[in-house]
Amino acid sequence: MGKTILVVLALAAFPVSAFAGIFPTTTFSPTDETRVGIGLRFEFGDNAAEVVGSVRHTHTDTNNFVTGGLAEIAIPVITKKNHGPKIRAMGLAGSTCVQGVGGIGYDFANQQPLIGAGVQGPYTEAGANFLFNSELHPYIGLNSFGCAPDKTTIALPPPD
């Protein structure tokens, strides 16, 4: 027991910098990803099923905070109203698996600009489009976007 205490005291007195060259150093690097996706969305305001084509770019920083953008076109396939598409340009921010989205677009069926806001989760989405004529069109959907990539972990070997 006495020898153990002496060893612990000796190690505690030894400078921590002396161990720096023994163990590998772990660093983190940001990660960028651009993906093309497809999905199916149901919009309650138009009572329409839509096929959605999207391009998403994400940047994951060293703290795993995700920012980026999303461009999409939604084409109605089953609807009771006009058959015009919607286009949106959205910003996104959040964690690797759940991001808030928000941006602007245009609804060609209603001939109205729109403001969109929602949440993107792994392979799911929900939100609403607010048209400038004061209509609110909530939606839910499924898509091919999983989680954004995590930060890159780099383990550097100890110096010689």
Side-chain angles (χ1 to χ4, degrees), residues 2-25:
K3 289 181 184 180
T4 305
I5 292 173
L6 288 176
V7 170
V8 170
L9 289 175
L11 288 175
F14 202 67
V16 174
S17 60
F19 293 105
I22 297 174
F23 301 106
T25 304

Side-chain angles (χ1 to χ4, degrees), residues 20-159:
I22 297 174
F23 301 106
T25 304
T26 302
T27 62
F28 301 104
S29 177
T31 303
D32 291 304
E33 178 184 68
T34 301
R35 292 191 56 202
V36 175
I38 190 163
L40 184 62
R41 177 184 297 156
F42 184 80
E43 187 174 290
F44 295 97
D46 282 341
N47 292 322
E50 302 168 325
V51 173
V52 182
S54 308
V55 176
R56 178 179 81 172
H57 176 78
T58 57
H59 172 80
T60 306
D61 69 12
T62 56
N63 295 318
N64 266 349
F65 185 74
V66 175
T67 56
L70 175 73
E72 66 181 23
I73 183 167
I75 301 169
V77 290
I78 302 172
T79 182
K80 294 179 182 178
K81 293 186 177 183
N82 295 333
H83 294 284
K86 288 179 195 66
I87 57 170
R88 301 192 312 173
M90 311 288 278
L92 59 88
S95 70
T96 55
C97 284
V98 178
Q99 301 98 36
V101 296
I104 59 172
Y106 193 80
D107 183 337
F108 287 94
N110 292 301
Q111 298 180 351
Q112 290 283 317
L114 62 86
I115 296 174
V119 176
Q120 170 69 48
Y123 309 107
T124 59
E125 65 176 339
N129 291 317
F130 180 75
L131 301 180
F132 280 34
N133 65 358
S134 299
E135 290 182 26
L136 183 65
H137 294 198
Y139 64 84
I140 58 172
L142 301 172
N143 59 45
S144 61
F145 293 125
C147 297
D150 285 339
K151 62 190 172 194
T152 303
T153 304
I154 303 168
L156 301 174

